[in-house]
Amino acid sequence: MMDLNLDAPHSMGTTIIGVTYNGGVVLGADSRTSTGMYVANRASDKITQLTDNVYVCRSGSAADSQVVSDYVRYFLHQHTIQLGQPATVKVSANLIRMLAYNNKNMLQTGLIVGGWDKYEGGKIYGIPLGGTVVEQPFAIGGSGSSYLYGFFDQAWKENMTKEEAEQLVVKAVSLAIARDGASGGVVRTFIINSEGVTRNFYPGDKLQLWHEELEPQNSLLDILNAAGPEPMAT
Amino acid sequence: MSSIGTGYDLSVTTFSPDGRVFQIEYAAKAVDNSGTVVGIKCKDGIVMGVEKLIASKMMLPGSNRRIHSVHRHAGMAVAGLAADGRQIVARAKSEARSYESVYGDAVPVKELSERVASYVHLCTLYWWLRPFGCGVILGGYDKDGPQLYMIEPSGISYRYFGAAIGKGKQAAKTEIEKLKLSEMTCKEGVIEVAKIIYKLHDEAKDKAFELEMSWICEDSKREHQKVPDDLLEEAKTAAKTALEEMDAD
């Protein structure tokens, strides 16, 4: 019988995405947290707040990414008080990088930092496993991202509108969920711009069906309760 | 406003009955004995100038630097005890460096001035330390534009449009107030600062002096640097001409 290995550390297989658009950023993620083959949480929130205007998408080890986010939230809170104004996305990304790089031997987490500040506008920073920090117009991460490189090469364009950007993110996460066993559940998005932050939620069964995907079947009882088969024509 | 604080002035950890800490006030006197230091914020940057009183004719021109770069985008002009000033500059450089290595971005000028002020203030809290005998004018250009701060031996730090410390500070402040800083470019500011320093230099009391100037503006690519030699010469000439015109009256 298949070994579920319920003692395995919680890992977020994950698909995470961050995209800049004309005026801000859109962050997106799936919601599956797995313990080996068992889905420990099918509706997790992988997009975590660091400050009012900066959020981070977490992937890899759930514990590691949570602890790193908590430390950086604490540092940024102090930094904001000292500065007397909101922290910039660049500083947030660099604090994450400081922890990721200095503890690279112990941590296993890839992060995408995205937000809006008054100096640079909407910015996305990718911080993969070793602790590099790279500013990018868009970033993808997690196990599901392997299936999205070609997709973004074709679908990404500069200066999208907010609606185009969000649709791109939802479509991408949905495609990755279709192919990556470690990604699944719902699609969550965050839109961050000068006006603030908007959360959106797309339930898994409302997403568009891709190639060879079947309609969800609810229950055999529906078939029993439905009107009977058509009588044969004589 | 000079008064002796007999009995209450032996330690920086003693208050006088009228609520003053005399050691800090005496430290400020050390600054007042030094050559004048002037800083102004023009519409496109900062200009700082120092009246370097030459102690001996044997000194090489250009020695005894009074203006130091603290980071690419910030500089400090020091008045008062030179050795104390060196310590403050070293601390400011270290703070700017460490901020950048942690936060990944150039230190905002406001943050830097707060850190330096906090360090200067530290030395007024313990009996086994003495206050710094120098005042510092810090000029920088960050994301929020050009900014000018002054840090006094007490540890106070304020932001200014124009500031002066040292011997001729009263006269300098009067001259600065006459300027329309918000309409002035740094190129014009360099000439004005030179004129001010030449004007308030007292030929009778102090013999020779050397003018040292620096700026941070668009022309210097927002980096702190010495005012270019040709502009400096132009400023000196303009200042000397302005003096002669005054004397001629």
Side-chain angles (χ1 to χ4, degrees):
Chain A
M1 213 39 245
M2 211 165 44
D3 186 9
L4 285 170
N5 190 16
L6 294 168
D7 298 319
H10 281 47
S11 162
M12 297 174 302
T14 306
T15 307
I16 49 173
I17 300 180
V19 148
T20 57
Y21 72 89
N22 184 15
V25 298
V26 179
L27 300 178
D30 74 306
S31 68
R32 178 170 291 183
T33 305
S34 32
T35 321
M37 280 294 111
Y38 173 66
V39 177
N41 186 348
R42 61 186 168 90
S44 32
D45 188 359
K46 301 182 187 180
I47 306 180
T48 314
Q49 183 183 36
L50 293 181
T51 71
D52 289 342
N53 52 317
V54 181
Y55 282 72
V56 62
C57 300
R58 302 178 292 110
S59 78
S61 154
D64 289 354
S65 65
Q66 281 175 10
V67 161
V68 168
S69 305
D70 287 348
Y71 268 115
V72 173
R73 191 180 309 118
Y74 166 65
F75 295 144
L76 281 173
H77 186 219
Q78 294 187 318
H79 181 63
T80 304
I81 292 170
Q82 189 137 24
L83 232 53
Q85 57 183 39
T88 59
V89 191
K90 188 178 190 187
V91 162
S92 312
N94 272 293
L95 285 173
I96 297 241
R97 180 263 303 179
M98 192 180 64
L99 285 174
Y101 178 75
N102 289 332
N103 297 294
K104 62 159 78 197
N105 293 329
M106 290 179 286
L107 294 174
Q108 201 178 67
T109 167
L111 301 156
I112 296 180
V113 176
W116 184 94
D117 62 59
K118 73 180 189 209
Y119 298 108
E120 300 277 342
K123 284 285 176 194
I124 294 283
Y125 291 85
I127 302 150
L129 244 43
T132 342
V133 62
V134 180
E135 200 249 297
Q136 301 168 287
F138 70 89
I140 54 179
S143 57
S145 67
S146 319
Y147 309 102
L148 295 177
Y149 284 95
F151 172 70
F152 269 91
D153 282 346
Q154 187 263 338
W156 159 261
K157 48 188 171 64
E158 289 260 4
N159 280 329
M160 289 184 283
T161 65
K162 180 172 69 165
E163 289 72 28
E164 284 175 330
E166 205 200 357
Q167 275 162 29
L168 177 66
V169 167
V170 175
K171 185 174 182 183
V173 178
S174 161
L175 282 167
I177 287 175
R179 284 292 179 182
D180 179 30
S183 299
V186 308
V187 180
R188 297 190 197 276
T189 64
F190 273 73
I191 306 173
I192 311 171
N193 52 33
S194 58
E195 284 145 37
V197 180
T198 316
R199 285 184 72 141
N200 283 320
F201 166 81
Y202 299 89
D205 57 351
K206 295 289 180 293
L207 297 171
Q208 175 184 0
L209 286 174
W210 302 115
H211 179 54
E212 282 178 345
E213 284 192 308
L214 301 173
E215 291 279 349
Q217 299 290 335
N218 283 327
S219 163
L220 285 174
L221 289 172
D222 290 346
I223 300 174
L224 287 174
N225 291 336
E230 297 300 321
M232 283 198 315
T234 39
Chain B
M1 202 190 68
S2 55
S3 50
I4 319 171
T6 322
Y8 301 106
D9 60 349
L10 295 176
S11 163
V12 78
T13 56
T14 308
F15 276 96
S16 73
D18 52 348
R20 295 153 71 174
V21 183
F22 280 99
Q23 277 298 310
I24 298 180
E25 296 187 18
Y26 296 162
K29 293 231 171 63
V31 180
D32 289 340
N33 289 337
S34 138
T36 315
V37 174
V38 169
I40 55 171
K41 169 177 142 33
C42 307
K43 72 177 177 195
D44 63 339
I46 305 280
V47 177
M48 294 190 285
V50 178
E51 173 204 15
K52 275 198 307 194
L53 299 169
I54 301 178
S56 149
K57 288 206 177 87
M58 300 289 224
M59 273 172 64
L60 218 58
S63 61
N64 186 25
R65 292 223 87 219
R66 297 278 291 282
I67 306 183
H68 303 88
S69 278
V70 157
H71 206 51
R72 275 182 304 277
H73 64 304
M76 253 183 191
V78 177
L81 300 177
D84 287 12
R86 215 171 23 241
Q87 186 77 335
I88 295 187
V89 170
R91 180 74 183 207
K93 286 179 178 171
S94 159
E95 293 282 7
R97 234 186 350 255
S98 91
Y99 182 98
E100 185 155 334
S101 98
V102 168
Y103 297 102
D105 212 3
V107 61
V109 192
K110 175 169 180 269
E111 175 74 18
L112 182 60
S113 83
E114 277 172 13
R115 290 189 181 197
V116 172
S118 174
Y119 177 63
V120 169
H121 177 240
L122 192 77
C123 299
T124 66
L125 294 173
Y126 302 102
W127 62 266
W128 36 267
L129 280 178
R130 66 164 174 80
F132 281 102
C134 58
V136 152
I137 292 186
L138 168 67
Y141 203 137
D142 65 20
K143 285 197 286 261
D144 294 309
Q147 291 155 65
L148 189 69
Y149 290 87
M150 183 165 83
I151 301 138
E152 299 170 25
S154 57
I156 291 177
S157 162
Y158 289 133
R159 189 174 162 187
Y160 291 92
F161 293 109
I165 35 179
K167 274 193 168 80
K169 70 171 188 240
Q170 274 310 117
K173 282 186 204 167
T174 320
E175 291 302 314
I176 293 174
E177 279 169 26
K178 293 180 190 163
L179 301 172
K180 282 216 170 83
L181 291 170
S182 56
E183 290 160 24
M184 201 183 282
T185 63
C186 277
K187 273 215 175 81
E188 294 161 352
V190 168
I191 316 266
E192 292 302 328
V193 168
K195 280 191 196 161
I196 292 174
I197 291 185
Y198 269 79
K199 187 168 180 187
L200 47 83
H201 174 67
D202 193 335
E203 281 297 329
K205 287 208 190 121
D206 313 307
K207 307 232 175 80
F209 82 100
E210 194 188 325
L211 177 64
E212 189 177 320
M213 291 187 66
S214 78
W215 68 354
I216 318 166
C217 58
E218 299 298 333
D219 288 331
S220 75
K221 301 202 186 75
R222 299 196 185 179
E223 286 187 9
H224 180 251
Q225 45 176 241
K226 273 171 59 172
V227 167
D229 290 331
D230 52 349
L231 184 58
L232 189 60
E233 283 313 309
E234 191 188 320
K236 286 183 186 171
T237 320
K240 285 179 199 148
T241 321
L243 262 185
E244 279 157 28
E245 279 169 18
M246 256 178 48
D247 291 339
D249 285 340

